[in-house]
Coordinates of all heavy atoms in Angstrom, one line a residue:
A25 N -9.8 -13.8 -6.1 CA -10.6 -15.0 -6.4 C -11.2 -14.8 -7.8 O -11.6 -15.8 -8.4 CB -11.6 -15.2 -5.4
G26 N -11.3 -13.6 -8.3 CA -11.9 -13.4 -9.6 C -13.3 -12.8 -9.6 O -13.9 -12.6 -10.6
S27 N -13.8 -12.4 -8.4 CA -15.1 -11.7 -8.3 C -15.0 -10.4 -8.9 O -14.0 -9.7 -8.8 CB -15.6 -11.6 -6.9 OG -15.9 -12.9 -6.3
Q28 N -16.0 -9.9 -9.6 CA -16.0 -8.6 -10.3 C -17.1 -7.7 -9.8 O -16.9 -6.5 -9.8 CB -16.2 -8.8 -11.8 CG -15.0 -9.6 -12.4 CD -15.1 -9.7 -13.9 OE1 -15.4 -8.7 -14.6 NE2 -14.8 -10.8 -14.5
R29 N -18.2 -8.2 -9.4 CA -19.3 -7.4 -8.9 C -19.1 -7.2 -7.4 O -19.8 -7.7 -6.5 CB -20.7 -8.0 -9.2 CG -20.9 -8.1 -10.7 CD -22.2 -8.9 -11.0 NE -23.4 -8.2 -10.6 CZ -24.0 -7.3 -11.4 NH1 -23.5 -7.0 -12.6 NH2 -25.1 -6.7 -11.0
V30 N -18.1 -6.4 -7.0 CA -17.6 -6.3 -5.6 C -17.6 -4.8 -5.2 O -17.0 -4.0 -6.0 CB -16.2 -6.9 -5.4 CG1 -15.8 -6.8 -4.0 CG2 -16.2 -8.4 -5.8
M31 N -18.1 -4.5 -4.1 CA -17.9 -3.2 -3.5 C -17.1 -3.4 -2.2 O -17.5 -4.1 -1.3 CB -19.3 -2.6 -3.1 CG -19.2 -1.5 -2.1 SD -18.2 -0.1 -2.5 CE -19.3 0.8 -3.7
E32 N -15.9 -2.7 -2.2 CA -15.1 -2.8 -1.0 C -15.5 -1.7 -0.1 O -15.0 -0.5 -0.2 CB -13.6 -2.6 -1.4 CG -13.1 -3.8 -2.3 CD -11.8 -3.5 -2.9 OE1 -11.5 -2.3 -3.3 OE2 -11.0 -4.5 -3.1
L33 N -16.4 -2.0 0.9 CA -17.0 -1.0 1.7 C -16.0 -0.2 2.5 O -16.2 1.1 2.7 CB -18.0 -1.6 2.6 CG -19.0 -0.7 3.5 CD1 -19.9 0.1 2.5 CD2 -19.8 -1.6 4.5
H34 N -15.0 -0.8 3.0 CA -14.0 -0.2 3.9 C -12.7 0.1 3.1 O -11.7 0.4 3.8 CB -13.8 -1.0 5.1 CG -15.0 -1.1 6.0 ND1 -15.2 -2.1 6.9 CD2 -16.1 -0.2 6.2 CE1 -16.4 -1.9 7.5 NE2 -16.9 -0.8 7.1
G35 N -12.7 0.0 1.8 CA -11.5 0.2 1.1 C -10.6 -1.0 0.9 O -11.1 -2.1 1.1
C36 N -9.4 -0.8 0.6 CA -8.5 -1.9 0.3 C -7.0 -1.5 0.6 O -6.5 -0.4 0.2 CB -8.6 -2.3 -1.2 SG -7.5 -3.6 -1.7
T37 N -6.4 -2.4 1.4 CA -5.0 -2.1 1.8 C -4.0 -2.2 0.6 O -2.9 -1.7 0.8 CB -4.5 -3.1 2.9 OG1 -4.7 -4.4 2.4 CG2 -5.3 -2.9 4.1
H38 N -4.4 -2.7 -0.5 CA -3.5 -2.7 -1.7 C -3.5 -1.4 -2.4 O -2.8 -1.3 -3.4 CB -4.0 -3.8 -2.6 CG -3.7 -5.2 -2.1 ND1 -2.7 -6.0 -2.5 CD2 -4.4 -6.0 -1.2 CE1 -2.7 -7.2 -1.9 NE2 -3.7 -7.2 -1.1
R39 N -4.2 -0.4 -1.9 CA -4.1 1.0 -2.4 C -3.6 1.9 -1.3 O -3.9 1.7 -0.1 CB -5.4 1.5 -2.9 CG -6.0 0.7 -4.1 CD -7.3 1.4 -4.6 NE -8.3 1.4 -3.6 CZ -9.3 0.5 -3.5 NH1 -9.3 -0.5 -4.3 NH2 -10.2 0.7 -2.6
V40 N -2.9 3.0 -1.7 CA -2.4 4.0 -0.8 C -3.0 5.3 -1.3 O -3.0 5.6 -2.5 CB -0.9 4.1 -0.8 CG1 -0.4 5.2 0.1 CG2 -0.3 2.8 -0.2
L41 N -3.5 6.1 -0.4 CA -4.1 7.4 -0.7 C -3.4 8.6 -0.1 O -3.0 8.5 1.0 CB -5.6 7.4 -0.2 CG -6.4 8.7 -0.4 CD1 -6.7 8.9 -1.9 CD2 -7.7 8.6 0.4
C42 N -3.1 9.6 -0.9 CA -2.5 10.9 -0.3 C -3.7 11.7 0.2 O -4.6 12.0 -0.5 CB -1.8 11.6 -1.4 SG -1.2 13.2 -0.8
L43 N -3.6 12.1 1.5 CA -4.6 12.9 2.1 C -4.6 14.4 1.6 O -5.5 15.1 1.8 CB -4.5 12.9 3.6 CG -4.7 11.5 4.3 CD1 -4.6 11.6 5.8 CD2 -6.0 10.9 3.9
G44 N -3.5 14.7 0.9 CA -3.3 16.1 0.4 C -3.9 16.3 -1.0 O -4.9 17.1 -1.2
C45 N -3.5 15.5 -1.9 CA -3.9 15.7 -3.3 C -4.9 14.6 -3.8 O -5.4 14.7 -4.9 CB -2.7 15.8 -4.3 SG -1.7 14.2 -4.4
G46 N -5.0 13.5 -3.0 CA -6.0 12.5 -3.4 C -5.4 11.4 -4.3 O -6.1 10.5 -4.8
E47 N -4.1 11.5 -4.7 CA -3.6 10.5 -5.6 C -3.5 9.1 -5.0 O -3.2 9.0 -3.8 CB -2.1 10.9 -6.0 CG -1.5 10.0 -7.0 CD -0.1 10.4 -7.4 OE1 0.6 11.0 -6.6 OE2 0.2 10.2 -8.6
Q48 N -3.9 8.1 -5.8 CA -3.9 6.7 -5.4 C -2.7 6.0 -6.1 O -2.5 6.2 -7.2 CB -5.2 6.0 -5.8 CG -6.4 6.4 -4.9 CD -7.6 5.5 -5.2 OE1 -7.6 4.8 -6.2 NE2 -8.6 5.6 -4.4
T49 N -2.0 5.2 -5.3 CA -0.9 4.4 -5.8 C -1.0 3.0 -5.2 O -1.6 2.8 -4.2 CB 0.5 5.0 -5.4 OG1 0.5 5.2 -4.0 CG2 0.7 6.4 -6.1
P50 N -0.4 2.0 -5.9 CA -0.4 0.7 -5.4 C 0.4 0.6 -4.1 O 1.5 1.2 -4.0 CB 0.2 -0.1 -6.5 CG 0.0 0.7 -7.8 CD 0.1 2.1 -7.3
R51 N 0.0 -0.2 -3.2 CA 0.7 -0.4 -1.9 C 2.1 -1.0 -2.2 O 3.1 -0.8 -1.5 CB -0.1 -1.3 -1.0 CG 0.6 -1.7 0.3 CD 1.0 -0.5 1.2 NE 1.7 -1.0 2.4 CZ 3.0 -1.3 2.4 NH1 3.7 -1.2 1.3 NH2 3.5 -1.7 3.5
S52 N 2.2 -1.9 -3.3 CA 3.5 -2.5 -3.6 C 4.5 -1.5 -4.0 O 5.7 -1.7 -3.7 CB 3.3 -3.5 -4.8 OG 2.7 -2.8 -5.9
E53 N 4.1 -0.3 -4.5 CA 5.1 0.7 -4.9 C 5.6 1.4 -3.6 O 6.8 1.7 -3.5 CB 4.4 1.8 -5.8 CG 4.1 1.2 -7.2 CD 5.4 0.8 -7.9 OE1 6.4 1.5 -7.9 OE2 5.3 -0.3 -8.5
L54 N 4.7 1.6 -2.6 CA 5.1 2.2 -1.4 C 6.1 1.3 -0.6 O 7.1 1.8 0.0 CB 3.9 2.4 -0.5 CG 4.2 3.1 0.9 CD1 4.9 4.5 0.7 CD2 2.9 3.3 1.7
Q55 N 6.0 0.0 -0.8 CA 6.9 -0.9 -0.1 C 8.3 -0.7 -0.6 O 9.3 -0.8 0.1 CB 6.5 -2.4 -0.4 CG 7.2 -3.4 0.5 CD 6.7 -3.5 1.9 OE1 5.9 -2.7 2.3 NE2 7.3 -4.4 2.7
K56 N 8.4 -0.4 -1.9 CA 9.7 -0.2 -2.5 C 10.3 1.1 -2.0 O 11.5 1.2 -1.7 CB 9.6 -0.1 -4.0 CG 9.2 -1.4 -4.7 CD 9.0 -1.2 -6.2 CE 8.5 -2.4 -6.9 NZ 8.2 -2.2 -8.3
H57 N 9.5 2.1 -1.8 CA 10.0 3.4 -1.2 C 10.4 3.2 0.3 O 11.4 3.8 0.7 CB 8.8 4.4 -1.2 CG 8.5 4.9 -2.6 ND1 9.4 5.2 -3.6 CD2 7.2 5.1 -3.1 CE1 8.8 5.6 -4.7 NE2 7.4 5.5 -4.5
F58 N 9.7 2.4 1.0 CA 10.1 2.1 2.4 C 11.5 1.4 2.4 O 12.3 1.8 3.2 CB 9.1 1.1 3.1 CG 7.8 1.8 3.5 CD1 6.6 1.2 3.4 CD2 7.9 3.0 4.2 CE1 5.4 1.8 3.8 CE2 6.7 3.6 4.6 CZ 5.5 3.0 4.4
E59 N 11.7 0.5 1.5 CA 12.9 -0.3 1.5 C 14.1 0.7 1.1 O 15.2 0.6 1.6 CB 12.8 -1.4 0.4 CG 11.9 -2.5 0.9 CD 11.6 -3.5 -0.3 OE1 12.0 -3.2 -1.4 OE2 10.9 -4.5 0.0
A60 N 13.8 1.6 0.2 CA 14.9 2.6 -0.2 C 15.2 3.5 0.9 O 16.4 3.9 1.1 CB 14.4 3.3 -1.4
L61 N 14.2 3.9 1.7 CA 14.5 4.9 2.8 C 15.0 4.2 4.0 O 15.6 4.9 4.9 CB 13.1 5.6 3.2 CG 12.7 6.7 2.3 CD1 11.3 7.2 2.8 CD2 13.7 7.9 2.4
N62 N 14.8 2.9 4.2 CA 15.3 2.2 5.4 C 16.1 1.0 5.0 O 15.8 -0.2 5.4 CB 14.0 1.8 6.2 CG 13.1 2.9 6.6 OD1 13.4 3.6 7.6 ND2 12.1 3.2 5.8
P63 N 17.2 1.2 4.3 CA 18.0 0.0 3.9 C 18.6 -0.8 5.0 O 18.8 -2.0 4.7 CB 19.1 0.7 3.0 CG 19.3 2.1 3.6 CD 17.9 2.5 4.0
T64 N 18.9 -0.3 6.1 CA 19.5 -1.0 7.2 C 18.5 -1.3 8.4 O 18.9 -1.9 9.3 CB 20.7 -0.3 7.7 OG1 20.3 1.0 8.3 CG2 21.8 -0.1 6.6
W65 N 17.3 -0.9 8.2 CA 16.3 -1.0 9.3 C 15.8 -2.4 9.4 O 15.5 -3.0 8.4 CB 15.2 -0.1 9.1 CG 14.2 0.0 10.3 CD1 14.3 0.7 11.4 CD2 13.0 -0.8 10.4 NE1 13.2 0.5 12.2 CE2 12.4 -0.4 11.6 CE3 12.3 -1.7 9.6 CZ2 11.2 -1.0 12.0 CZ3 11.1 -2.3 10.0 CH2 10.6 -1.9 11.2
R66 N 15.8 -3.0 10.6 CA 15.4 -4.4 10.8 C 14.5 -4.5 12.0 O 14.8 -3.8 13.0 CB 16.5 -5.4 10.9 CG 17.5 -5.5 9.7 CD 16.8 -6.2 8.5 NE 17.7 -6.3 7.4 CZ 17.8 -5.4 6.4 NH1 17.2 -4.3 6.5 NH2 18.7 -5.6 5.4
A67 N 13.5 -5.3 12.0 CA 12.6 -5.5 13.1 C 12.1 -6.9 13.1 O 11.7 -7.4 12.1 CB 11.5 -4.5 13.1
E68 N 12.0 -7.5 14.3 CA 11.4 -8.8 14.4 C 9.9 -8.7 15.0 O 9.7 -8.0 16.0 CB 12.2 -9.7 15.4 CG 11.6 -11.1 15.6 CD 12.5 -11.9 16.5 OE1 13.6 -11.5 16.9 OE2 12.0 -13.0 17.0
A69 N 9.0 -9.2 14.3 CA 7.6 -9.1 14.7 C 7.3 -9.9 15.9 O 7.8 -11.0 16.1 CB 6.7 -9.6 13.5

């Protein structure tokens, strides 16, 4: 929405965190990795 003075108390799903080294990456990048690892996997919600 454009708010800037924001504290995300419980974090944000648009970020991914490594529990080992602490590196943060965008969730959109992980989606690409999922697609590459699971090219034929399909599921209906």
Side-chain angles (χ1 to χ4, degrees):
S27 292
Q28 298 185 41
R29 299 172 70 84
V30 181
M31 160 60 77
E32 295 168 327
L33 189 64
H34 296 153
C36 180
T37 56
H38 288 258
R39 294 187 300 266
V40 177
L41 176 70
C42 173
L43 297 182
C45 66
E47 182 177 33
Q48 286 187 347
T49 55
R51 174 63 181 80
S52 57
E53 292 299 313
L54 182 59
Q55 192 75 358
K56 296 175 184 177
H57 293 316
F58 282 139
E59 292 169 351
L61 279 175
N62 302 276
T64 62
W65 186 86
R66 298 289 183 273
E68 181 180 348

